[in-house]
Amino acid sequence: MPGNEYLRVLHLSKTYGAGQEATHAIQDISFTVDRGRFLSILGPSGCGKSTLFNIMAGLLSPTGGNVLLNGESIVGKPGHVGYMLQRDLLLPWRTIEDNVMLAQTLRGVPRRQVRPRARALMQKCGLAGDGDRYPDQLSGGMRQRAALIRTLLTDKDVLLLDEPFGALDAITRGKLQQMLMTLWEENHKTILFVTHDIEEALLLSDEVLVLSHRPGQVLEHLTVELPRPRRSDIMFTSEFLRLRSHLSDMLTREVT
Ligand code: ADP
């Protein structure tokens, strides 16, 4: 059912360990995302955002609940979504070009087939001259761009991005946010984006899902009705400030 309830998370729970040692990471999380939407997940540290993504990526079994993509369960089935972690996980012994093509080449797709798209994306992301360099020769922002290109090249329609810009300075982060918005608009992906930065969530998203303190539960699923394309000066509009204050109050209550 394209365009309608494309991705459904249903009553998802995860408890690590058992008895006295049990940690209830997330509890009864349900939400739906339509195809092509940009949804940010916002919550205090330790509320289970990475747990949720690991389950959605098929890498971790939930204690209960289900995740449906186009009506099919993807629980315990890796390979249905693209997943980018906060750490770039580039292989230090491979060039940037080889790193961005990694997922495809591991699947046996010939390099000459992947290379044109890889190079076009690297050009778009300002890495055109860096394909022959190695990860430790690049800045943090450049490495994150390479990791993002690698995630895009997986050709999955759903991308899970776990705090991809969390470790970057404010200026680099702003540039990468703009770049991500352009790539998202051009590539028609459905993006779920974990962040603990309220402004970043509002700037990028169509929707924001707010999670509670552990065990993570859905506090609110709000729609961001700000016009697109968005530039950083949208942060000074009254609607942006209203939403920021609302989310900030909610998260402050959770942390205290
Ligand atoms: P977040 O990404 O929001 O910071 P996590 O999903 O990493 O949260 O963790 C949620 C909770 O589950 C935390 O209290 C964390 O310590 C706990 N947790 C995460 N992974 C494990 C694990 N493998 N074993 C036990 N507890 C874990």
Side-chain angles (χ1 to χ4, degrees), residues 38-191:
F38 196 124
L39 174 126
S40 280
I41 299 171
L42 197 61
S45 186
C47 73
K49 302 182 291 290
S50 304
T51 298
L52 174 64
F53 268 15
N54 285 333
I55 295 171
M56 295 181 75
L59 303 175
L60 183 69
S61 300
T63 312
N66 207 345
V67 182
L68 304 181
L69 180 62
N70 255 334
E72 300 273 328
S73 175
I74 56 169
V75 162
K77 298 177 189 163
H80 286 271
V81 300
Y83 191 9
M84 176 179 167
L85 302 170
Q86 185 169 8
R87 285 189 307 121
D88 57 57
L89 300 179
L90 298 175
L91 302 177
W93 59 89
R94 288 206 182 210
T95 64
I96 292 302
E97 184 169 289
D98 282 348
N99 262 292
V100 303
M101 300 195 304
L102 190 67
Q104 306 292 80
T105 47
L106 283 178
R107 279 176 43 215
V109 182
R111 299 155 85 82
R112 63 177 184 286
Q113 201 172 311
V114 194
R115 199 172 277 124
R117 273 195 67 217
R119 289 193 174 166
L121 278 169
M122 286 171 69
Q123 168 108 41
K124 190 171 268 300
C125 298
L127 293 178
D130 300 301
D132 291 335
R133 300 172 78 192
Y134 288 85
D136 66 1
Q137 298 175 297
L138 303 189
S139 67
M142 292 163 91
R143 285 202 301 271
Q144 286 306 84
R145 276 183 263 169
L148 186 57
I149 294 167
R150 183 174 61 188
T151 311
L152 277 169
L153 281 173
T154 56
D155 278 333
K156 306 297 175 202
D157 289 329
V158 177
L159 304 184
L160 310 180
L161 309 181
D162 190 355
E163 286 206 58
F165 309 144
L168 303 176
D169 64 83
I171 293 173
T172 308
R173 187 177 188 141
K175 282 187 189 158
L176 264 66
Q177 288 166 347
Q178 290 297 330
M179 193 193 80
L180 177 61
M181 274 192 279
T182 307
L183 291 171
W184 169 67
E185 278 158 16
E186 289 176 0
N187 288 274
H188 311 291
K189 301 288 184 188
T190 306
I191 295 188

